[in-house]
Amino acid sequence: MAITRIIDRCRARLEDVEFGSVRDWKARHPGGKAVGCFPVYTPVEIIHAAGMLPVGLFGGGNTIELANADARFQSFVCSIAKTTLEMGFQGRLKLLDGTIFSSICDVARNLSSVMARNFPELQVEYIHHAQNMTSPAAVDYVESEFARIQRNMERLAGHPVSQEALASSLKTYNRIRGALRDLYRVRRESPHLISTVELYVLARSGTLVPPEEHLGELMEVLALLHARQDRPKDRVRVVIESAFCEQPPLDLLQVVEEAGCYIVDDDLLTGWRWYVEDVPEDLPPLRALAESYIRQSVYSSVRHDGPRSRTAGLVEKVRRAGAQAVIFMPAKFCEPALFDYPLFRLALEEANIPHLVIEFEEKMWTFERTRNELETFVESMLFD
Amino acid sequence: MATAIRVDKDRKYQSEVNDHSKRILTEYYDQLARAARQGEASGFLMISGNCVEILRAFDMHPVFPEVNALQLAIRKQSLPMILKAEQMGYSSDNCAYVKADIGMLMSGGYGPQGTAPSPSLVVCNYVGCNVYVKWFEHIAEFCQAPLFMLDIPFLREGDRPSQDDITYVVRQLQELIATCSRITGKPFDIDRLREVLAFSARAEEGWSRAKHRCKSRPAPFDAYFDSINMMGPINVLRGTREAAEFFDFAVEAFEALAVQGKGPLAEERFRTIVEGPPPYPYYRNFRNLFAAWGAVAVNSTYSTVGGLWEFGFRHDPRRPLESIAEQMVVENLTNRSLTARYQQIRRYVEDWAADALVIHSIKSCRLFSAGQGDMREYFTRELGVPTLLVESDLEDPRYYSEAQMKNRIDAFFEALEHKKFLAKG
Ligand code: SF4
Ligand code: SF4
């Protein structure tokens, strides 16, 4: 059926270690440049408005052997930092002209320096994302930071970016985020209609093509979903939390579903969905992005929340999704995720919401133990 | 040929400067304990690029959880606290400074019964380290105290901040001042702040002169191990008369030692630059391993986490908030990029005439350690500076292996000595 065909196409794109879709785009746009965006959040609108292709840079997963990167980063550093660097050493990032890192954690920050030093042909940018969410000065600051990124993207593109181009990019990405919100809603309300593996493949592969193409795929899937015939099963509704940067292996997500869970909300690819509402289209574009960053970003472990606390955010998310439990899925050694766990845990215990912790690495081959843990967890929930 | 000197394991490295430092820090702790009992206003701060001057202008007792953690480690009391935090769900891979401090907090470490007052205000000076944000979110949550998130833009392009960065910080400092005023019920007195800043500048000048003194051969003090004793006065007590006078005293003492040709060891055989924090739980053991080879640190990066004074920057009472902002954004190690740190070390190696670079990689502290392998590549391959990389932790005693550490250090200096010998021959 048609949805499966779209998903298969997306999956092939995602599993292509040579970034075939980016190469195609470059072939169709001679002189066009591609900019890798390290998770979590990048204002991709600015890259797109400069006529360049924003590309999700999520490390090498289990498709790369470390030959150089583990001599640069110690054993206690998350896998995404190492495999991203290794991709550079093995020439897999040659098709990128620039990359953008940001202040999500100490590792990502140092990684941006190491990348800049080892790959001088790559224009490496670093965004300092504001952490003060209450100061009136913060919106001005974020706007100035995005303006700086705009200047640097203009330099890379070799031409200025107009206000109109920015406004139009903003609209395009609003539509994408809106469509993703719709898809998340469908999965929340009728999780039997679209699995998380499908939704994830669809969303993630969208970070490898021009947004217009991605939007087309999302709309197509949305239109076809309601015609699906599947029946709801007796499963435990769970929320996945802490997988905001390094992404869990697809097989792990599949194991969660096979063990009897409906994943009804998650923070996968969170930065590509970032705003809880549309970015206002009636303000100067960078101002609008800055306002949205401060006032209507999703809560995240890599962003201080000011008066809105993440712990309350998680409990609310569980309630809104009608979920029964939380599965924490932090990448091994991911400090921001690991640090949030004690407070999350307290809040969940207070709210009587059970949870399970599953740490993962990119190079996970067997999932049997995890499957057992999950099945035990699910059983305890179903027969409670 | 290559030999290590026998070092008595209880050997004392103390000098009168270290004693003086201990004395004024003990007074500070006594004050904190008093303030805790009497419920006086206190502000929690992080060490890196801190703005302690603002708190002083309101007579708020500054409390540094990092120093609490450090003290626990040095007294070999950190492990039970770390374990306590791990029981609460903190991961074995989280920064152990935080875990030790939270463990202590949960054991009654702050408040009237503890050694430090509960925070009236938690000021998270987010200078470089993202763990700071977590740490202070947790303290604010557990102590039910107000949190002021002072966001410091990372020094991103080159080595100068933009005007937008400085303006952003100055505006937040103004808000911080209003908050302190509200909490203490005291009006803001700019002249008091200027006076505090003048004391800061005097201490900074002294610290900088002391460090430059280590260009002498032998260096009059070890700019890594002995620097720890000066980091209290410069980071914690900065802005007080006591700290300013301490540095006047220290400079005089070091000048005298330099004139007499005296250093911390009987013989200075190797001059090193040390990168990374020390293993506090095994501080003395670690020092002895270097002393055995006559290795003296002539400069170190760790001593600049709070501020980078030896390249000339001073707080300026005529530009109070701007100069505080500049220090927080530019003039400290933590808020600078890893590659900027390479350049800082390179300058140390050249200007302080060092023979080698020693990198102590800390499992807890990814701010320091993530990417240090690349640093080693840069120094050995590109600059030809002999570089030793060893690993342990600054707080968690479980990551220190004496035998392994000794082997690595001995092998490194043996090779270095051999090289020196060949060069002479
Ligand atoms: S996985 Fe976690 S620790 Fe690693 S780069 Fe991402 S946020 Fe940082
Ligand atoms: S990560 Fe490093 S700088 Fe940050 S709190 Fe821990 S020890 Fe300090």
Side-chain angles (χ1 to χ4, degrees), chain B residues 216-246:
Chain B
S216 331
R217 249 173 222 275
F221 66 97
D222 187 293
Y224 183 57
F225 292 108
D226 291 319
S227 281
I228 310 295
N229 295 297
M230 277 162 275
M231 286 172 69
I234 198 67
N235 296 322
V236 175
L237 304 181
R238 204 178 61 237
T240 62
R241 177 185 301 280
E242 289 73 21
E245 287 174 351
F246 165 78

Side-chain angles (χ1 to χ4, degrees), chain A residues 170-219:
Chain A
L170 218 119
K171 279 203 180 94
T172 305
Y173 281 98
N174 268 344
R175 304 286 169 280
I176 289 182
R177 285 184 293 256
L180 285 170
R181 282 198 296 271
D182 288 344
L183 281 163
Y184 267 65
R185 195 181 52 242
V186 172
R187 185 187 56 168
R188 191 166 63 231
E189 288 166 1
S190 322
H192 55 286
L193 290 186
I194 182 162
S195 75
T196 292
V197 169
E198 290 175 318
L199 177 52
Y200 176 72
V201 165
L202 184 63
R204 165 103 180 249
S205 72
T207 70
L208 296 167
V209 288
E212 299 78 6
E213 191 178 331
H214 181 39
L215 182 57
E217 285 169 348
L218 294 177
M219 300 313 285

Side-chain angles (χ1 to χ4, degrees), chain A residues 3-16:
Chain A
I3 292 191
T4 331
R5 248 201 338 269
I6 300 173
I7 304 283
D8 287 348
R9 189 174 67 213
C10 289
R11 189 163 184 148
R13 188 190 296 152
L14 195 60
E15 288 175 347
D16 176 359

Side-chain angles (χ1 to χ4, degrees), chain A residues 71-77 103-107 109-110 113-114 117-118 125-132 134-138 140-141 144-145 148 152 155 300-305 310-311 332-333 335-336 338-343 345-346 359, chain B residues 87-91 93-95 98 126 128-131 133-134 137-138 141-142 147-154 156-157 164-165 168 171-172 175 337-339 341-342 361-364 366-374 376-378 382 391:
Chain A
R72 316 276 170 147
F73 280 92
Q74 295 89 327
S75 55
F76 45 80
V77 169
S103 53
I104 52 172
C105 69
D106 301 341
V107 168
R109 187 188 47 240
N110 287 4
S113 282
V114 173
R117 187 180 90 75
N118 286 284
E125 297 295 334
Y126 185 82
I127 301 178
H128 179 88
H129 286 311
Q131 294 281 353
N132 185 335
T134 46
S135 168
D140 292 346
Y141 164 75
S144 76
E145 182 65 349
R148 186 181 68 84
N152 293 356
R155 178 157 53 86
S300 158
S301 287
V302 294
R303 176 181 172 282
H304 174 66
D305 286 296
R310 278 191 290 287
T311 48
K332 199 158 169 37
F333 303 117
E335 192 141 54
L338 296 173
F339 257 127
D340 273 354
Y341 174 66
L343 290 191
R345 174 180 159 176
L346 280 176
E359 274 190 29
Chain B
Q87 273 165 14
M88 294 170 64
Y90 288 88
S91 160
D93 297 314
N94 280 143
C95 169
V98 183
Y126 166 47
C129 172
N130 289 58
V131 169
V133 177
K134 301 289 177 201
E137 280 176 353
H138 292 205
E141 170 88 17
F142 293 135
L147 174 66
F148 188 99
M149 183 57 62
L150 179 48
D151 179 26
I152 305 299
F154 191 66
R156 308 179 288 295
E157 293 193 328
D164 292 319
D165 293 343
Y168 177 39
R171 285 175 67 185
Q172 293 180 83
E175 291 163 22
S337 71
L338 184 62
T339 35
R341 202 189 315 159
Y342 295 1
S361 189
I362 299 287
K363 182 177 190 283
S364 270
R366 289 165 178 84
L367 172 126
F368 257 103
S369 62
Q372 275 171 334
D374 185 69
R376 176 179 54 189
E377 292 285 316
Y378 174 73
E382 294 198 14
E391 268 182 29

Side-chain angles (χ1 to χ4, degrees), chain A residues 236 354 373-384:
Chain A
V236 173
E373 272 178 58
L374 276 158
E375 282 171 355
T376 315
F377 184 70
V378 166
E379 275 163 29
S380 74
M381 301 276 308
L382 285 178
F383 302 111
D384 209 10

